[in-house]
Amino acid sequence: MKLYNTLSKKIEEFISHEEGIVKMYTCGPTVYHFAHIGNLRTYIAEDVLERSLHYLGYQVERVMNITDVGHLTSDSDSGEDKMLKGAKREHKSVLEIADMYTEAFKQDCEKLNILWPDTVVKATSQIDAYIQVIQTLLEKGYAYVSGGNVYFDTSKLKDYYKLTNHKEDDMVVGVREGVEYDEAKRNQADFALWFTKSKFEDQELKWDSPWGVGYPGWHIECSCISMKYLGEYLDIHCGGVDNIFPHHTNEIAQSEAYLGHDWCKYWFHVEHLNDIHGKMAKSSGEFKTVSLLEEKGYDPLAYRYFCLGSHYRKTLTFTYESLDTAQNAYKKLKNKIKSLSREPDLHESKIDYYQEKFKEAINDDLNTSMMLTVLYDMLKDKELTDFTKLYLTEDFDKVLALNLIDEEKEVNIDEEYINKKIEERNEAKKNKDFALADQIRDELLKDNIKLIDTREGTKFEVIE
Ligand code: AMP
Ligand code: ZN
């Protein structure tokens, strides 16, 4: 697979640290509000990445955090905690809104067919891990205590800016939004690992630490959760482009200083979704959520289709007109697939050809619009039987996840045939040919017929 790597700034051949296994970390949502459809563009692209890796035969171990503490309104060290701001807005506790918006995010993911990662970790559940890593960073001389907070000393690294095009000068106060002069810092690029002193004294969640009662910085959360659940060598770290600096830059600084070696090989960043006002945000313009699209009559998967139509490394501008176009095309595509005959008539000759084409699209830095083109070309191919088209559509949909074949599977209940199969299976069991017995059971299961062995004999049940 070929992927663009923000670290090398090149499209590179992807080679996982351990053969056949991919360790993938995704920065999760800050659960102070609903996710907007811009956030979800990033999660859709990450989902396509995970599904593509599965398609190519990798086993993917994926971890995501839920940011429920430490993310300030500026991505740097100033501003109010976003969670606290959300809780005040809704007259609820931080934990209440964290649970509520985590659940809402999960539902959005379900609607958009975004796979929920195997391991999802709340930032507030890992305080001991942050304290341990911060302590080690202090012992190794990468961190210092000043003005009540613990800071990471960026001057101790050979190349703090290796992920980004930022220069040290950019950290001069006033050049970048959100960078405020902080006299406690040795270098203005340094960042907080642990806060005990915040300008906002009413921080709701605080924990004991060797440096006083306080709370972790946002960046240390992702470093620690990733290292704890995925180990010392990470294959792919994902997020939106706004995460490159300072968030991911700081994650690299902390993790590599702690581990003493390189940490994550590939950095996958998704460009922003804009609307006509500019970058989509929760605070300005119409707050566009999946629920809002549904209220306006859109199928969430039409939004997924809209996203797949453009490359993840290009900014995408959202308008309702372009979503209309996507929804119409998506409906037409589904109707076309629905009209295909279900007559079982599989022609194997061109299956490999189209699967190779589909893989080429994956290998081309996750070229989703090319994946769709392969699908359309295949559906137009007069040499293919309808059944072969259905077979390939189902296969490509493992990556596209557009529910292209979502009709109920027709279940043919031919009792005579099933009873014959049950007899054959009994015979096989009598002859101790358990492999054959299992094969008969599995074949029936594929047709949604489940065998149940009871004392009175084998019965069957149709799975809905
Ligand atoms: P947050 O909940 O703010 O921590 O963001 C969740 C994810 O959405 C992060 O990976 C961000 O980089 C990403 N993100 C934020 N804004 C946008 C946008 N307008 N378009 C695409 N992704 C975004
Ligand atoms: Zn993160």
Side-chain angles (χ1 to χ4, degrees), residues 97-219:
I97 63 155
D99 283 349
M100 186 172 105
Y101 289 121
T102 302
E103 192 47 41
F105 177 67
K106 202 171 177 182
Q107 282 177 17
D108 287 344
C109 289
E110 261 169 42
K111 288 176 190 168
L112 292 165
N113 279 349
I114 295 168
L115 297 171
W116 194 246
D118 309 322
T119 309
V120 178
V121 185
K122 283 185 187 185
T124 46
S125 71
Q126 300 299 320
I127 302 296
D128 290 349
Y130 314 143
I131 291 177
Q132 186 252 317
V133 170
I134 296 169
Q135 239 159 353
T136 307
L137 290 174
L138 281 162
E139 281 159 23
K140 285 184 154 191
Y142 285 105
Y144 59 93
V145 181
S146 174
N149 297 335
V150 187
Y151 293 101
F152 187 94
D153 187 342
T154 53
S155 69
K156 290 274 155 54
L157 295 178
K158 263 208 310 266
D159 194 3
Y160 168 64
Y161 293 100
K162 68 179 175 183
L163 187 67
T164 143
N165 292 324
H166 280 79
K167 303 267 177 325
E168 202 150 351
D169 293 352
D170 291 351
M171 292 308 295
V172 172
V173 179
V175 171
R176 271 191 66 241
E177 190 195 346
V179 178
E180 286 179 16
Y181 182 75
D182 187 342
E183 60 179 15
K185 291 181 181 178
R186 287 183 192 161
N187 319 286
Q188 286 308 302
D190 295 352
F191 56 91
L193 299 165
W194 187 269
F195 292 96
T196 67
K197 285 255 170 12
S198 155
K199 278 181 234 154
F200 298 91
E201 289 302 334
D202 50 357
Q203 173 68 25
E204 197 177 297
L205 296 176
K206 288 187 184 187
W207 295 266
D208 262 341
S209 82
W211 319 286
V213 177
Y215 61 99
W218 172 39
H219 320 299

Side-chain angles (χ1 to χ4, degrees), residues 4-7 27 163 234-239 243 247-249 251-252 256 263-269 312:
Y4 181 82
N5 184 356
T6 313
L7 188 59
C27 284
L163 187 67
L234 185 63
D235 291 308
I236 309 182
H237 196 309
C238 315
N243 285 161
H247 186 47
H248 290 166
T249 298
E251 278 189 50
I252 294 177
E256 297 195 346
W263 170 51
C264 175
K265 204 162 161 196
Y266 302 92
W267 289 81
F268 176 87
H269 289 107
Y312 74 91

Side-chain angles (χ1 to χ4, degrees), residues 353-370:
Y353 169 80
Y354 278 108
Q355 283 179 327
E356 278 313 308
K357 286 263 161 220
F358 195 74
K359 280 186 196 158
E360 272 172 33
I362 291 178
N363 287 339
D364 183 22
D365 191 20
L366 221 62
N367 192 335
T368 45
S369 63
M370 204 206 275

Side-chain angles (χ1 to χ4, degrees), residues 12 21 41 50 57 94 154 156 163 189 200 212 223 228 234 251 301 331 346 349 370 451:
E12 279 183 57
I21 298 176
R41 178 193 191 195
E50 180 180 358
V94 162
T154 53
K156 290 274 155 54
L163 187 67
F200 298 91
S223 282
K228 177 168 167 182
L234 185 63
E251 278 189 50
L301 291 180
K331 275 190 187 158
L346 194 67
S349 60
M370 204 206 275
L451 296 187

Side-chain angles (χ1 to χ4, degrees), residues 28-30 36 38-39 42-43 71 239-240 242-243 272-273 279-280:
T30 309
H36 58 55
N39 301 126
T42 291
Y43 293 104
H71 194 174
D242 57 312
N243 285 161
H272 278 156
L273 180 78
K279 184 188 153 190
M280 187 149 303

